[in-house]
Amino acid sequence: MDPVQPAKRYKRRISTMIPLLLLLTLTLAGSLIHSKSVDAKPSEVAKPETFGFQAEVSRLMDIIIHSLYSNRDVFLRELISNAADALDKIRFLSITNPSILGTQKDLYIKIRFDKENKYVEVIDTGIGMSREELITNLGSVAKSGTSAFLDKIKASSDTKDAPTDYSNLIGQFGVGFYSAFLVADMVTVTSKSNDDPKQWVWQSTADSSFTIMEDKSPEKLVRGTKVHLHMKEDAMSYVSEETLTNLVKKYSQFINFPIYLEVPVEREEKKDEAVDLDEEESKEKTTVDESAPSTDASVKLIKLNEQRPIWTRDPNELTKEEYVEFYQMASKTSDEPLAYSHFKAEGEVGFKSILYIPSKKAEDFANSQHAFSNVRLFLRRVLVKDEFKEGLLPGYLSFLIGVVDSDDLPINVSREMLQQSRIFDMIKRKLIRKALELIRTLMVEDQELRDKRKEEIAQGKTGDEITVDLEKNPSRYMKFWNLYNKNIKFGVVEDEGNRQRLAKLLRYRSNKCNLTDSSDLISLDQYMDRIKENQEYIYYHAGETLNQVRSSGFLEKLVELDYEVLYMVDPLDEHVLQYMGDYEGMKFMAVSKDNFKFAEKDQKAEKKKIKPAKVAYQPLKDFISEKLKDRVSKVKLSARLTRSPSVISAVEYGYSPHMELMTRAQMFEGNNEMRKMMMPKQKVMEINPFHPIMVKILDLVLENPESEEALKLVELVYDAALVSSGYFVEDSRAVSDRMNTFLAEFTKVDLSQQASVDDIRERLEKLNESDKGDVHETDEKEEL
C-alpha cells in the first residue's frame, strides 16, 4: 500500500471541513460580539466536579468560623501569609532553576476590591496549584486533620476540665485559609501551576462540599493563585481602601514581597501617576494580566509595605537613622529612642529582635505599665500578636517597644493564642535577659561618666574645665531612671529569678550625697564600697519627703559617727527591701526600728556612755510606762540621739512610721475595727538621757512620782517625738489643746478669758496714735 495515499485522503477530508469550520467560527464570533458577558458560554465551561467533605466538616467549620478566631480582621493576614508562602516556594525553586519563573518573573501580591459587586481578591504570582493540589491543600482540613481534631475535642469533652472554647486544641491542622469564611459567604480560588497546563477553579460556600473545574474564562494566570471572596453583608466594611490598607499595615507590612492595593483612578489623574511601578517596568507590561500589576489607566497600584523588616538585616549594615526611623514607625512618635538593642538569638531556639527604650513615657503609661507588652511577635515576618498580657515580657518591662521574629515558635492554627510551649518560655527568658543587658549598658556608661568627673575634680579642674556635668546634661541612665525607676522596683518585687540583676540598677539619695544636685545618686554597690569597718547592716530611713528624712532624730548619731544612710522617699522603697532581704549577704536595717545597732565597736562605746543612766532613769521610765501605757509598749534609753529629747521607734517586726502611714492610706478604709487590729500600738519611746528637758522631767518625777507638771511635759515630748518620727497623729485635737495650754502657761494668759470688741478697739486706737502717718499712707495704697 502506498504510504502517501492515507495522507492524501486525510488532506481531502480537511479541505472539505474548512468551510464548516469557518462557518462555525463566524457563528461563535457573532455570539461573542452580541454577548454582554466576557464569560464563556455554558456549553464551553467544563462540568464542575463535586467533592463531599467528611460528615464532621459542618461541625468543624462552625468551630473555625465562630470559635477559632476572635477577630475577623485576621482573614486578610492569613490569605497574605499563604500567598507569601507560595511566593517563597517559587523563589526557592528558581535559585537552582531560573527558567521555572518563565515569563512571570515578578513576585508580588495584589489586592483588589469592588464594593458594587461585593468582593475582595488576593492575587499572587507564586507557585500555584494543580487540580490535585487544590483538592489536597484546600481539602486537607476534611481529610487528615478533621478526624484527629474532632477526636481530640471528644476526648477533652469527657474530662472535668473540658474547654468551652476549642481553639486551644487546634495546633497543627493548618486551616488558616478557612478564616476567609469569617467574612465571605463564597470563596473561589483560581490557580495555575507550572506542573499543570490547565488553570483550575476551586469553590465552596463552607457547606458540606466543594467543587473543582477547569477554568475556561478568558482571564488567565501565567502562574499563581487568585482568591476571590464574595463578602457577607455584615462584612462589607472590609470592602474599602482604608480598611484594607490598615489591615495590611498592621499585620503584613514586613512581608518580603511587595503588596499592592488596586484602587480606582480619579478622572483627572494621569496615567503615569496611576501605576506604582518604575518607568521601565511599566513600559514592559502593556497587557492586562492577572500575573502582574495592572497598568490599566482606570486603576492605580499603591504599595502598602514600604517599611522593610530591618531586624532581619545585619546590624553592621544599618545606620542610626534607620533604627530611629523604624522606632518612630513602631512607636507612632517623632521622638528618638533612649537606647536600642538589635540581636539574634541562636541555639535551641532562634529568633531576631530589636528592643527600644522610649525616651518619653507613653501618655497612658500609668494605666498600661502592668497591662500589655509593646513588643510585637512575628512569625516569618507576619504579625502574630501585637498585644500580650503576661506574654513576651513581664509587666515591669512593658515600657519597651520592639519586635520579635521567630521561625521556630509553634503557634496554634489561629495564630492568636500561643501555646504554652517550652520554646516560647525560652524566647521570653532570652528577651528579659537582653532587655536587662541593654539597661545595664546604660548603667555602666553612667558610672564611667561619674568616674571621669571624679578624676577631673581630683586633678584640680574647676568650672568649665570639668567636661562632665550630669546635672545639666544627665546621662542616658539617669534619664532612664527618672522615667522608669518604678518599673525596676516592681521588677525586684515580682521577678525573683532576676532580683539580684535588678537590684544593681537601683539608685538612692543618702546623707553623703549632694542633695542640691538631682543627679547625685548612689547604687547599692557604691554603698557597699564605702561602708565603715565592721559595719554589718545597710542603713536606710524612709519618709514622705527628703527634708523630713534628712532632719529626722533617728539619724543624729549615725551622721555624727560618719555612717551612710540611704534615704527612701518612694512608697515602693520599703516594699522592695522586704522582698530583697539582703544585698550581697548584707542585711538591710531601718534606723526607725528599736532593734537598731551600730557597728560593733561604736555600739559598745555608745552603750557604755548611757550605762550609768540606766539606774538613774528607771523612775522616769516607770512613770512614762504607766502614764502612756495606752500609747507605748516600751520605754528605753537611746544611744543614738544627740539634739532630740526623744523619738518614737517601731518594734523589730512592726510597721515603720512611713509604712504605717501608707498602710493607713491604702487599707481598711472605713473599717475601724480592722484598722485597730492591724495597727497595734507597738511603739517604743526612746529618750535621750543627756537632753536637758529629759533631765528636768526626771527631777520632777524624783521630787513627786505623781507630778502633774512632769506628766504635761512628758505628753508634750511624746507629741513632738511622734510628729518628728513621722507617725500619724491619732488625736490631733488633743495634741493641739496640750500645745495651746503649754503656750498659755508660758505666756501667763487665761485661756478661759476671751478678748472683747472693746479690747480690739483700744489696741487699734493705740496703733493710730503711734503712727498716724504710716496708717494713712497704707490706706491710700489700699485704695489705689
Side-chain angles (χ1 to χ4, degrees):
M1 183 177 178
D2 186 356
V4 179
Q5 291 303 317
K8 289 181 178 179
R9 286 197 298 272
Y10 180 72
K11 187 175 182 180
R12 284 196 299 271
R13 289 176 184 173
I14 292 296
S15 64
T16 60
M17 292 175 64
I18 287 176
L20 293 173
L21 291 172
L22 287 173
L23 180 61
L24 180 60
T25 302
L26 290 172
T27 303
L28 289 172
S31 65
L32 287 173
I33 290 172
H34 294 291
S35 175
K36 295 182 181 181
S37 173
V38 297
D39 292 339
K41 292 174 70 63
S43 59
E44 294 179 280
V45 177
K47 185 178 179 180
E49 299 177 79
T50 301
F51 295 83
F53 287 111
Q54 291 181 357
E56 301 93 338
V57 75
S58 297
R59 181 182 172 198
L60 177 62
M61 296 304 291
D62 182 71
I63 292 173
I64 291 172
I65 296 171
H66 298 107
S67 299
L68 184 57
Y69 292 93
S70 58
N71 182 1
R72 296 205 299 180
D73 292 355
V74 300
F75 84 92
L76 190 61
R77 177 189 70 185
E78 295 299 325
L79 295 180
I80 290 176
S81 179
N82 290 343
D85 288 343
L87 292 166
D88 266 327
K89 289 175 182 177
I90 195 67
R91 182 173 62 179
F92 178 77
L93 292 174
S94 69
I95 295 174
T96 55
N97 183 15
S99 63
I100 200 171
L101 294 176
T103 59
Q104 182 58 68
K105 299 186 183 300
D106 297 312
L107 304 178
Y108 61 85
I109 299 168
K110 183 169 70 174
I111 303 169
R112 61 187 183 189
F113 64 95
D114 188 328
K115 188 175 284 288
E116 183 178 348
N117 293 309
K118 301 181 181 179
Y119 75 77
V120 172
E121 290 182 341
V122 178
I123 305 161
D124 69 74
T125 58
I127 196 167
M129 290 177 281
S130 65
R131 174 183 176 279
E132 290 72 21
E133 287 170 334
L134 280 170
I135 295 172
T136 302
N137 294 342
L138 303 187
S140 62
V141 68
K143 190 179 179 183
S144 62
T146 304
S147 297
F149 171 56
L150 294 176
D151 286 346
K152 195 161 189 178
I153 289 180
K154 185 178 184 301
S156 66
S157 64
D158 295 334
T159 66
K160 294 181 180 179
D161 301 324
T164 56
D165 180 0
Y166 296 119
S167 57
N168 62 333
L169 299 178
I170 309 174
Q172 70 275 18
F173 303 103
V175 295
F177 163 77
Y178 289 91
S179 63
F181 290 105
L182 292 168
V183 295
D185 51 26
M186 178 182 289
V187 178
T188 304
V189 180
T190 305
S191 194
K192 174 65 177 67
S193 168
N194 287 342
D195 298 332
D196 194 326
K198 296 179 180 180
Q199 183 167 300
W200 296 92
V201 177
W202 180 100
Q203 191 173 79
S204 179
T205 56
D207 54 13
S208 60
S209 65
F210 62 91
T211 62
I212 294 284
M213 63 182 173
E214 183 181 350
D215 187 10
K216 293 287 188 176
S217 69
E219 293 182 302
K220 297 296 183 182
L221 300 171
V222 176
R223 184 195 64 250
T225 300
K226 175 177 70 175
V227 180
H228 178 100
L229 309 180
H230 187 270
M231 306 299 281
K232 298 176 181 178
E233 288 298 331
D234 63 352
M236 286 302 295
S237 60
Y238 291 102
V239 191
S240 75
E241 178 182 349
E242 181 182 3
T243 303
L244 293 171
T245 299
N246 291 339
L247 290 180
V248 172
K249 288 186 177 295
K250 178 177 181 179
Y251 291 107
S252 308
Q253 63 176 323
F254 299 113
I255 291 291
N256 273 345
F257 303 96
I259 302 174
Y260 298 103
L261 179 65
E262 185 178 286
V263 296
V265 172
E266 299 296 333
R267 291 183 178 180
E268 62 270 16
E269 290 191 46
K270 297 179 181 179
K271 180 178 178 181
D272 59 346
E273 297 174 336
V275 182
D276 190 19
L277 298 172
D278 60 63
E279 187 176 350
E280 292 183 4
E281 191 176 3
S282 298
K283 290 179 180 178
E284 291 176 2
K285 297 171 184 173
T286 56
T287 60
V288 177
D289 194 296
E290 294 298 337
S291 63
S294 173
T295 54
D296 187 342
S298 64
V299 297
K300 66 178 178 179
L301 296 175
I302 302 172
K303 190 175 182 181
L304 301 181
N305 58 335
E306 294 284 356
Q307 186 69 42
R308 295 183 62 190
I310 68 171
W311 64 83
T312 63
R313 297 165 59 189
D314 187 339
N316 296 324
E317 298 175 356
L318 291 166
T319 63
K320 179 183 176 183
E321 289 72 23
E322 288 177 294
Y323 281 115
V324 171
E325 181 184 357
F326 182 76
Y327 168 76
Q328 291 172 341
M329 181 279 301
S331 65
K332 298 179 176 62
T333 67
S334 58
D335 306 318
E336 289 193 11
L338 186 62
Y340 57 84
S341 175
H342 183 184
F343 58 92
K344 179 180 180 181
E346 296 179 333
E348 193 171 352
V349 58
F351 65 90
K352 298 173 183 176
S353 177
I354 300 179
L355 295 177
Y356 291 95
I357 299 177
S359 55
K360 293 181 180 178
K361 287 182 181 179
E363 291 182 3
D364 60 345
F365 179 78
N367 297 323
S368 65
Q369 72 178 52
H370 268 65
F372 293 98
S373 168
N374 292 313
V375 177
R376 307 170 80 194
L377 178 64
F378 289 79
L379 178 65
R380 292 186 289 276
R381 295 169 301 284
V382 176
L383 180 65
V384 173
K385 202 164 182 66
D386 58 351
E387 283 189 342
F388 285 95
K389 189 169 184 178
E390 303 294 331
L392 279 175
L393 288 174
Y396 71 89
L397 291 176
S398 62
F399 61 89
L400 292 172
I401 293 175
V403 295
V404 175
D405 192 351
S406 173
D407 292 342
D408 301 329
L409 183 65
I411 60 172
N412 67 10
V413 66
S414 71
R415 294 177 182 262
E416 290 177 287
M417 289 160 288
L418 297 174
Q419 295 176 346
Q420 295 302 311
S421 67
R422 187 172 60 89
I423 291 179
F424 183 74
D425 289 338
M426 290 171 63
I427 290 177
K428 182 176 179 178
R429 287 197 299 271
K430 287 186 178 181
L431 274 182
I432 295 173
R433 188 167 65 249
K434 286 292 184 179
L436 296 183
E437 285 178 5
L438 174 59
I439 299 171
R440 185 180 180 280
T441 300
L442 302 184
M443 181 190 72
V444 172
E445 177 187 286
D446 173 77
Q447 192 55 50
E448 289 173 351
L449 289 172
R450 292 177 186 275
D451 292 341
K452 183 178 179 181
R453 176 179 173 82
K454 287 180 182 179
E455 185 179 343
E456 289 179 341
I457 294 174
Q459 291 172 355
K461 294 182 180 180
T462 58
D464 295 338
E465 295 177 332
I466 300 176
T467 59
V468 180
D469 189 340
L470 295 177
E471 186 173 19
K472 292 182 179 178
N473 300 301
S475 66
R476 290 195 298 169
Y477 186 72
M478 290 315 303
K479 292 178 182 178
F480 167 83
W481 181 253
N482 291 333
L483 288 169
Y484 306 113
N485 64 81
K486 281 184 170 55
N487 292 70
I488 300 302
K489 293 171 184 177
F490 274 120
V492 174
V493 172
E494 297 171 356
D495 192 348
E496 184 178 359
N498 290 296
R499 187 165 291 159
Q500 288 301 314
R501 292 187 183 93
L502 289 163
K504 291 184 178 295
L505 304 176
L506 297 172
R507 292 294 182 272
Y508 298 102
R509 311 299 291 273
S510 80
N511 58 307
K512 293 191 176 181
C513 292
N514 179 4
L515 300 184
T516 62
D517 181 356
S518 60
S519 68
D520 193 5
L521 288 85
I522 68 164
S523 66
L524 292 175
D525 283 331
Q526 288 172 299
Y527 183 96
M528 297 283 285
D529 289 339
R530 53 199 199 193
I531 60 174
K532 290 188 65 173
E533 185 179 358
N534 298 323
Q535 183 176 332
E536 299 176 9
Y537 301 98
I538 298 174
Y539 298 117
Y540 71 91
H541 187 41
E544 290 292 306
T545 66
L546 203 58
N547 284 334
Q548 181 196 49
V549 173
R550 65 186 293 195
S551 60
S552 173
F554 291 114
L555 273 64
E556 292 173 357
K557 182 63 72 171
L558 281 162
V559 173
E560 182 181 300
L561 296 176
D562 198 34
Y563 285 93
E564 185 164 19
V565 182
L566 300 176
Y567 295 163
M568 301 195 173
V569 294
D570 190 297
L572 285 173
D573 286 340
E574 282 194 279
H575 289 289
V576 169
L577 298 190
Q578 287 177 356
Y579 278 88
M580 288 177 62
D582 65 81
Y583 183 77
E584 302 292 344
M586 182 171 283
K587 292 185 178 297
F588 294 94
M589 173 169 283
V591 299
S592 58
K593 298 291 185 72
D594 81 320
N595 65 324
F596 167 82
K597 294 179 181 178
F598 297 108
E600 186 178 1
K601 182 179 179 181
D602 292 330
Q603 182 71 12
K604 289 180 179 180
E606 296 304 318
K607 286 288 185 181
K608 186 176 181 180
K609 287 181 182 179
I610 66 170
K611 188 175 181 180
K614 283 188 176 182
V615 177
Y617 268 86
Q618 191 59 46
L620 179 55
K621 289 168 61 179
D622 294 339
F623 180 84
I624 296 173
S625 296
E626 174 60 27
K627 301 300 182 182
L628 303 184
K629 59 185 177 183
D630 59 335
R631 283 176 267 181
V632 298
S633 59
K634 184 169 66 172
V635 181
K636 60 183 283 189
L637 300 185
S638 179
R640 55 170 157 182
L641 300 176
T642 56
R643 294 179 292 105
S644 300
S646 176
V647 290
I648 306 299
S649 59
V651 295
E652 181 177 357
Y653 298 106
Y655 287 125
S656 68
H658 190 229
M659 185 69 75
E660 181 175 310
L661 283 176
M662 289 192 297
T663 305
R664 283 178 176 276
Q666 297 173 8
M667 298 174 63
F668 321 122
E669 184 176 354
N671 191 334
N672 291 328
E673 292 302 319
M674 181 65 76
R675 181 174 293 169
K676 288 178 181 179
M677 183 177 71
M678 296 301 292
M679 296 291 173
K681 297 177 177 58
Q682 292 181 322
K683 295 181 176 65
V684 178
M685 185 172 183
E686 299 185 28
I687 57 178
N688 181 357
F690 305 108
H691 198 281
I693 291 178
M694 301 312 301
V695 174
K696 174 62 177 177
I697 299 174
L698 175 60
D699 290 342
L700 293 173
V701 171
L702 291 174
E703 291 176 7
N704 180 8
E706 297 297 328
S707 171
E708 288 295 325
E709 185 179 356
L711 178 58
K712 290 179 181 178
L713 290 174
V714 164
E715 287 185 325
L716 287 173
V717 168
Y718 172 83
D719 292 339
L722 195 69
V723 173
S724 67
S725 298
Y727 279 103
F728 175 76
V729 178
E730 193 79 44
D731 191 349
S732 57
R733 180 58 185 266
V735 173
S736 175
D737 287 345
R738 285 193 290 271
M739 181 59 68
N740 290 334
T741 300
F742 171 78
L743 292 173
E745 292 176 354
F746 180 79
T747 54
K748 296 181 173 57
V749 297
D750 187 354
L751 292 177
S752 63
Q753 297 294 322
Q754 295 290 321
S756 65
V757 174
D758 292 337
D759 292 331
I760 303 302
R761 286 175 178 169
E762 180 182 342
R763 282 155 181 77
L764 182 60
E765 289 174 0
K766 289 182 179 179
L767 177 64
N768 290 334
E769 290 175 0
S770 64
D771 197 354
K772 290 182 180 180
D774 290 344
V775 172
H776 181 66
E777 185 179 349
T778 301
D779 290 341
E780 286 184 344
K781 287 181 179 179
E782 287 178 353
E783 274 189 316
L784 181 61

